[in-house]
Amino acid sequence: MREAALRAAIELIAQQGYAATSMAQVAAAAGISPSGLAHHFPSKNALLGAVLDHRDAEDTFVRERSHEPWSAFDHMVHVARRNMGRRRLVALYMTMIGEAVAPEHPAHAWMVRHYADVLDTLRDQLRADQQRGTVREDAPVEAIARSMVSLMDGLQVQWLLDESVDMAAVLAESVAAMKRTWGTELV
Amino acid sequence: MREAALRAAIELIAQQGYAATSMAQVAAAAGISPSGLAHHFPSKNALLGAVLDHRDAEDTFVRERSHEPWSAFDHMVHVARRNMGRRRLVALYMTMIGEAVAPEHPAHAWMVRHYADVLDTLRDQLRADQQRGTVREDAPVEAIARSMVSLMDGLQVQWLLDESVDMAAVLAESVAAMKRTWGTELV
DNA sequence: GTCTATAGAACGATAGAC
DNA sequence: GTCTATCGTTCTATAGAC
């Protein structure tokens, strides 16, 4: 079954990375032969594409429009909390990021798009808040957005090493500090 | 020459990761045969060990003792600035982190030790500053230390994707915010 | 210290039967 | 949709000559 093969691939790539995972391993974990796997995914690259599509579908950080100040930032805290119950998804994300920084990696384009999307969402939120007067005019939009993404990414690494780390709490602390520093009294 | 082989290995692992790099590739890049390489590094694992040792030697974030408030944090900003001229070192670090989150990875123990060292240094600094009265007693030491490490790591990913990102400036901005939020007037 | 030669296994991918 | 069979390649590692 295609579904079982996809799940097996996600599990293995999350644990070992894409380069270290072989088609034979995926096939064995799915309970079929390598050729049976090849029927659904004619190449290793095609399998990776399906894995990334599945990941994006499960990742809820979509561009959402809200008029609440800092709502995109609060939403990331919420995502962090939910991720603390989804180790497989977090591990898959981090192994992909680590491999796909290389420009030649088959997932590099996916990674570039992912960062562009998240950064754009945060930048848009900050600029909209500035126009509404809930974020100070002199707030460094670019630095704040990039810091938020860095915190999100870095905390996932530390949480994978030690699940007692409360990603959401640490992130919420930083978001609160951002609000204190760059928010206006209008909030 | 052992030196040339080590340099080739660092270059290739930085670009492709450990799993995707073969001994034959390293040997070719070093201008020797795979067997010539095997003389210096009898196994791929031994080569990885040498690469990690070399990385640690080049990484200057040693436990340093200073009585300046926040000096460990200011030092990380300095390291970030210096890293902006060392793409190979940054790329090697990120690919290793991505792979070594897996507990079975040969570099996992190295990664665990690395994070323990950096986090301990930052925690010690914050606690010492609290005792000296330059950091507020109610400052969340653990969250601040983990946030700092996350910022450092995450910014390196973003910088690898787009070298126009000023890691040091973004990090300095966050450190300044931390000082405003948790520092006392004694600073 | 570097080489040739080679072992033995795993790799991705394809062809064709059922 | 899954299989057997197999191609050609690449992999890590070892043995032994120079």
Side-chain angles (χ1 to χ4, degrees), chain B residues 1-2 8 38 90 97 99 102 125 127 130 138 166 176 180:
Chain B
M1 212 192 304
R2 193 192 138 100
V90 174
I97 293 301
E99 287 190 77
Q125 164 92 63
R127 293 201 188 103
Q130 282 179 325
D138 61 340
D166 191 336
R180 275 194 302 269

Side-chain angles (χ1 to χ4, degrees), chain B residues 54-120:
Chain B
H54 190 268
R55 196 218 79 93
D56 286 342
E58 277 205 24
D59 185 15
T60 43
F61 193 78
V62 281
R63 286 174 147 277
E64 55 172 27
R65 290 285 149 193
S66 166
H67 289 276
E68 281 296 301
W70 300 94
S71 66
F73 290 74
D74 292 334
H75 185 237
M76 285 190 86
V77 175
H78 175 255
V79 169
R81 169 144 289 123
R82 204 201 43 185
N83 280 350
M84 290 172 72
R86 296 189 176 198
R87 182 167 233 276
R88 200 167 301 123
L89 194 71
V90 174
L92 174 64
Y93 176 73
M94 287 314 310
T95 58
M96 287 310 312
I97 293 301
E99 287 190 77
V101 284
E104 317 82 18
H105 194 279
H108 184 72
W110 165 83
M111 180 176 170
V112 169
R113 200 177 326 113
H114 172 76
Y115 276 87
D117 282 351
V118 176
L119 284 169
D120 273 349

